[in-house]
Structures are given as structure tokens and as C-alpha cells.
Amino acid sequence: MKALEAVDRRDFLKLNLFAYVQLLFYRAFGFASEHKTKECASLLDRLLELDFSDTVKDEITFRVALQKKYGFDQNGKPLPLDRFIFEQANFIICKGSLRDVALFEKEAKPDASYMFIRASYYGAVDKLDFFMQKLLGSDNKIFAKAALAALDNKSIESFSRLMMHKSRMDERALDRIYEILSSDRYAPETKRLQNLLPDLRSKQKLSVKPKFSAIYQLEEMSERPKSHAEEILIEAAKECLGYLLQILKTKGDVEFFEIFIELRKVRAKLISTPTK
């Protein structure tokens, strides 16, 4: 009985200690959450007061209104503004002026690396230069990422500007850049980029045409069960479709495709290359 009483007393002390620690945690968390909430609301209000261009002003006003109305979690607490800031940064890089970028960067303090890469992607050379000055002493990998982003959208002017800093890129990144430039998609740009990359022509590879890989023997299908014959036809159709999509991918019209059989039908998922 005494032993049981001793155990109960220890458990009681543990529960009291846990309750006390939990109370301290809730108080600390509640204070931090309240502080963060005020900080987020303050930033949204400050953005509305900035002298953006009309296009950016309209977008900011619209997005701030949405954030204030729907930017809450299931407990009614305001969500962090990280996503909001990234979305506005992307819009301003794409549609805004350099002055808009400077105003937003000073107030919202978005990640400079992200802004740098998006400026490269959109071919916004003035904004690219603006953030390049801030990142000259940073990790060199950011220059390779920006160059690849420029190639992804075929922003040649941005890419050319970044190639002036190709000494900051490692061999692996440069190999990937040469691989992209060796595709049919960039064949028309070879002459334009020759001054920046004198060895481009020597490193370009011949485009490898896709080969048809179906090897089915269909002449004896009449002697086989119907279900087996259908399976052969479905597999052949899958291979034919894959052959055609591989041609489109080689030409640069398709970025990614996946072919699969579902309910005895050949289905395909594909991502097409965005046009400018």
C-alpha cells in the first residue's frame, strides 16, 4: 500500500511539473504568435502605402486584401507571409519596374537569390544587374542556377550577361549548360553565343533521333487467345505513342512525358514546353 502511495505521489508531481512547463510554453508561444501577427499586419499595411507603379499597386492592393481575408489557418491564426512575399516578388520582377523592385526589396526583404534567379528567367537584365551587385560575394552556385533558369525560358540576354561570370561556375554546371545549348532548340543561337563561348561548336553534340523499340510479332495473332492479342496491341500502341512523344521531346516541344496502361487503355501525361 505504501509502495502504491509512493508511486501515485511521484506521478502526481510529474503531472504538476508537466502542467507548469506546458503553461510556460503556451505563454511563450502565445506571445510570439501575437508579435508575429502584428508584424505581418504591419507589413501588409506598409506595402499599401508605397508608391508603386499602377500595375504593381493594383496587384499589391488585390493580394493584400486576399491575404487579410483568407490568410488564416484552421485555428484562426494568421499564416506566415513567406508565400505572399515570394508571389509578389515574382510578379514585380516580371511586370514591375526597377523602382518597384527596389521599393519592395527594401520593405519586404525577399530572398535576393530568388529575385536574382527570377530576373534571369524573365530576361529582366536591369533587375538582374541590381541583384547581381548584392550577390557577388555569395555562393557561386547561384550564378549557375540563374544561367540555367535563363536557358529554361530562352532568355538569351540574361544568359549572355551571366556568362560574363562563368568563372564562378564549376565544371559540372558548365557541362550541363553546354548540353542544353547542344539541343536542337538552341541551334539558331549558336552563332550569337559563339563570342561568349568560343568552344561551343566543338562541344555541340549531334542530336540523337529516337528509335522505335517495338519488336512485337503480330502476324500470328489470329492463332492466339483474344485477351493475349489485345495485350499485344495495347503494348504496341504504347510503344508507338512513346516513339512519337520522344520525337517531340527531342525537338523541344515537350519537356516531360509518361505513358502507362490503365483499364486496358493507353494513357499519357505530358508537360509541354512553354512558349514565350
Side-chain angles (χ1 to χ4, degrees):
M1 187 68 177
K2 289 184 179 180
L4 179 60
E5 184 177 350
V7 171
D8 289 343
R9 187 174 298 154
R10 284 197 299 270
D11 288 342
F12 179 75
L13 290 173
K14 289 179 181 178
L15 287 172
N16 279 343
L17 179 60
F18 175 76
Y20 177 69
V21 172
Q22 189 178 42
L23 179 61
L24 292 177
F25 172 79
Y26 282 142
R27 285 179 177 173
F29 182 80
F31 174 77
S33 177
E34 181 181 359
H35 176 72
K36 189 67 177 177
T37 299
K38 290 180 179 179
E39 184 179 295
C40 291
S42 176
L43 175 59
L44 293 176
D45 290 336
R46 291 198 306 273
L47 289 176
L48 292 176
E49 298 172 356
L50 295 179
D51 187 23
F52 291 116
S53 63
D54 291 341
T55 301
V56 173
K57 186 77 171 178
D58 291 343
E59 176 70 10
I60 291 288
T61 301
F62 175 68
R63 293 296 177 179
V64 166
L66 288 180
Q67 188 71 22
K68 287 187 174 183
K69 187 174 183 179
Y70 299 110
F72 300 91
D73 61 17
Q74 63 271 24
N75 297 317
K77 294 181 179 180
L79 294 170
L81 291 183
D82 297 351
R83 180 177 176 180
F84 170 87
I85 291 174
F86 277 118
E87 289 176 349
Q88 301 320 297
N90 184 71
F91 180 86
I92 291 174
I93 288 289
C94 180
K95 300 292 185 181
S97 65
L98 181 58
R99 182 174 179 276
D100 290 325
V101 170
L103 285 172
F104 186 79
E105 194 266 343
K106 182 178 180 180
E107 193 62 55
K109 296 178 175 55
D111 181 69
S113 299
Y114 174 80
M115 301 283 275
F116 181 61
I117 292 172
R118 298 315 292 169
S120 179
Y121 177 84
Y122 288 121
V125 177
D126 56 342
K127 300 159 192 172
L128 182 71
D129 289 339
F130 176 79
F131 286 102
M132 189 181 296
Q133 298 302 318
K134 297 176 178 289
L135 295 169
L136 285 176
S138 64
D139 186 356
N140 287 340
K141 291 181 180 179
I142 190 64
F143 284 83
K145 291 179 181 177
L148 291 172
L151 290 179
D152 185 47
N153 199 38
K154 212 170 184 181
S155 299
I156 301 299
E157 193 172 354
S158 292
F159 176 74
S160 300
R161 187 66 59 94
L162 288 162
M163 283 298 97
M164 297 171 66
H165 300 274
K166 67 178 180 179
S167 61
R168 294 175 173 270
M169 304 177 193
D170 59 27
E171 288 299 321
R172 185 176 179 181
L174 289 173
D175 287 345
R176 176 59 182 153
I177 288 171
Y178 279 116
E179 181 183 348
I180 294 172
L181 293 176
S182 297
S183 66
D184 292 342
R185 184 186 182 208
Y186 273 94
E189 312 298 336
T190 300
K191 186 175 181 180
R192 182 177 176 183
L193 296 173
Q194 193 69 32
N195 292 333
L196 285 171
L197 304 167
D199 53 348
L200 177 58
R201 286 189 182 277
S202 63
K203 289 195 175 186
Q204 281 183 324
K205 303 172 184 177
L206 295 176
S207 299
V208 179
K209 294 183 178 180
K211 296 181 179 180
F212 186 58
S213 59
I215 56 174
Y216 302 103
Q217 300 292 329
L218 303 178
E219 62 272 14
E220 300 178 0
M221 280 180 50
S222 58
E223 301 177 5
R224 301 181 182 181
K226 182 178 180 182
S227 60
H228 185 64
E230 287 178 349
E231 289 178 3
I232 291 178
L233 284 175
I234 290 172
E235 287 293 338
K238 177 183 175 183
E239 291 294 327
C240 289
L241 181 59
Y243 171 71
L244 295 174
L245 289 177
Q246 184 61 47
I247 292 174
L248 293 177
K249 185 177 180 182
T250 302
K251 290 182 176 180
D253 296 326
V254 172
E255 285 189 351
F256 169 83
F257 69 86
E258 178 184 3
I259 304 173
F260 56 96
I261 298 174
E262 183 180 48
L263 299 177
R264 305 183 71 80
K265 293 182 180 180
V266 178
R267 303 183 184 276
K269 294 180 180 179
L270 59 92
I271 299 175
S272 61
T273 302
T275 56
K276 293 188 71 176

